C-alpha cells in the first residue's frame, strides 16, 4: 500500500481527475489515504480511505498530497488510532458453548475467508478489523503470515506496529498482533485469539518474523 497525506487545510475530493468533475468531499489537513493511481499528466491522484463515517474515494490534486512517512498516525497519548481501537476490544472472547460471539464474526467479515464461527483462528481478522476501523486497508486475509508483505518493514518495533510471529514448525502457520512493549526476551502484544480472547500477552522475541507499519 502506498499512502499519501493531505497538506492543504481543505482539499476537494472529486469524481474524476480535473476541476470539471463534481466535488464529493472536502479532505482535512493531515488525513492519510491510500494512493491507487495517477492521471496521465501526474497532476491528479486517485485515492481512497475507508472510515467509520463512510468511504472516501475519488481524485484530488497531487500537489497537495505528499508521501506519508508514518508520523501522521498519532492518536491519544501518541498511540496510533488502530491501537486505541484494539484496546477498546480487550475482553472480547469466544463463547464456551455452541454459539459464536458476533463481535468475533464481525472481525472475520474483514477477511476474504469471512468465517462465521469464533472457532476459526481470528488473530489476523482482528488486526484487519482494527486497521479498517482506523481508515486503513489491511491484508484482507485470515492468514497471519499475510502481514509479512503488508506496509513497510521496521528494523525495530514501535508502539502499535504489526508483529508477525512463527507458530510451531509449520511454515504456513503464524500469529499476528500489535506491539505494546519489549521486556528483555519477551514482547507484550495486544491481539485477538490470544487464549481465545482479545488481551495483552507475552511472546518470545525470538519467534518474531517481522515488524510492519502502514505505508509503502
Amino acid at each position: 500500500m502506498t499512502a499519501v497525506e493531505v497538506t492543504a487545510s481543505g482539499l476537494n475530493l472529486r469524481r474524476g481527475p480535473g476541476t470539471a468533475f463534481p466535488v464529493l468531499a472536502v479532505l482535512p489537513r493531515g488525513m492519510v489515504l491510500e494512493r491507487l493511481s495517477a492521471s496521465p499528466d501526474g497532476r491528479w491522484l486517485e485515492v481512497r480511505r475507508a472510515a467509520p463515517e463512510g468511504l472516501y474515494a475519488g481524485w484530488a490534486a497531487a500537489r497537495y498530497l505528499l508521501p506519508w512517512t508514518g508520523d501522521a498516525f498519532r492518536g491519544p497519548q501518541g498511540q496510533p488510532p488502530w491501537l486505541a481501537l484494539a484496546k477498546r476490544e480487550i475482553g472480547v472472547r469466544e463463547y464456551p458453548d455452541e454459539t459464536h460471539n458476533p463481535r468475533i464474526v464481525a472481525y472475520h467479515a474483514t477477511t476474504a475467508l469471512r468465517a462465521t464461527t469464533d472457532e476459526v483462528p481470528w488473530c489476523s481478522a482482528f488486526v484487519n478489523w482494527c486497521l479498517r476501523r482506523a481508515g486503513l486497508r489491511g491484508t484482507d486475509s485470515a492468514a497471519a503470515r499475510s502481514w509479512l508483505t503488508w506496509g513497510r518493514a521496521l528494523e525495530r518495533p514501535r508502539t502499535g506496529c504489526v508483529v508477525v510471529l512463527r507458530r510451531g514448525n509449520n511454515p504456513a502457520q503464524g500469529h499476528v498482533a500489535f506491539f505494546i512493549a519489549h521486556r528483555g526476551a519477551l514482547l507484550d502484544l495486544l491481539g485477538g485469539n490470544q487464549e481465545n480472547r482479545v488481551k495483552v500477552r507475552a511472546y518470545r522475541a525470538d519467534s518474531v518474523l517481522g515488524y510492519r507499519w502502514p505505508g509503502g
Side-chain angles (χ1 to χ4, degrees):
M1 180 188 76
T2 299
V4 290
E5 179 183 358
V6 176
T7 61
S9 57
L11 180 61
N12 289 331
L13 181 70
R14 296 181 178 274
R15 190 179 298 277
T19 56
F21 291 91
V23 175
L24 302 174
V26 178
L27 308 177
R29 185 193 302 272
M31 176 177 274
V32 177
L33 305 104
E34 180 182 2
R35 171 179 168 164
L36 301 178
S37 65
S39 61
D41 60 10
R43 296 175 58 189
W44 297 85
L45 296 182
E46 184 183 14
V47 295
R48 75 185 298 274
R49 172 182 169 130
E53 63 270 21
L55 176 68
Y56 295 93
W59 295 79
R63 62 176 173 167
Y64 300 116
L65 294 167
L66 294 181
W68 169 73
T69 63
D71 294 332
F73 284 128
R74 293 187 296 270
Q77 292 79 50
Q79 66 183 348
W82 60 84
L83 184 61
L85 288 163
K87 288 180 177 179
R88 294 176 198 158
E89 299 299 299
I90 290 176
V92 173
R93 64 173 65 196
E94 297 175 14
Y95 288 168
D97 52 24
E98 294 183 359
T99 60
H100 304 287
N101 191 328
R103 192 62 162 181
I104 296 175
V105 174
Y107 302 155
H108 280 307
T110 63
T111 75
L113 183 62
R114 300 183 70 85
T116 57
T117 81
D118 60 17
E119 297 299 321
V120 175
W122 48 280
C123 63
S124 182
F126 177 72
V127 174
N128 271 294
W129 183 90
C130 292
L131 285 162
R132 182 174 294 187
R133 292 280 293 178
L136 294 171
R137 185 173 182 177
T139 64
D140 303 327
S141 171
R145 293 200 183 205
S146 66
W147 295 92
L148 287 172
T149 57
W150 173 85
R152 59 187 176 93
L154 298 176
E155 291 185 6
R156 299 179 181 84
R158 60 186 293 185
T159 301
C161 75
V162 173
V163 183
V164 186
L165 309 130
R166 66 175 57 87
R167 182 163 60 89
N169 297 319
N170 188 332
Q173 294 182 338
H175 182 65
V176 64
F178 298 115
F179 177 80
I180 299 294
H182 196 170
R183 297 185 291 113
L186 299 176
L187 301 177
D188 289 332
L189 304 182
L190 169 55
N193 203 24
Q194 298 188 166
E195 297 176 351
N196 299 327
R197 70 190 71 185
V198 178
K199 64 175 293 186
V200 176
R201 180 186 166 185
Y203 290 86
R204 292 185 58 85
D206 60 10
S207 66
V208 172
L209 295 172
Y211 302 110
R212 311 295 298 190
W213 191 259

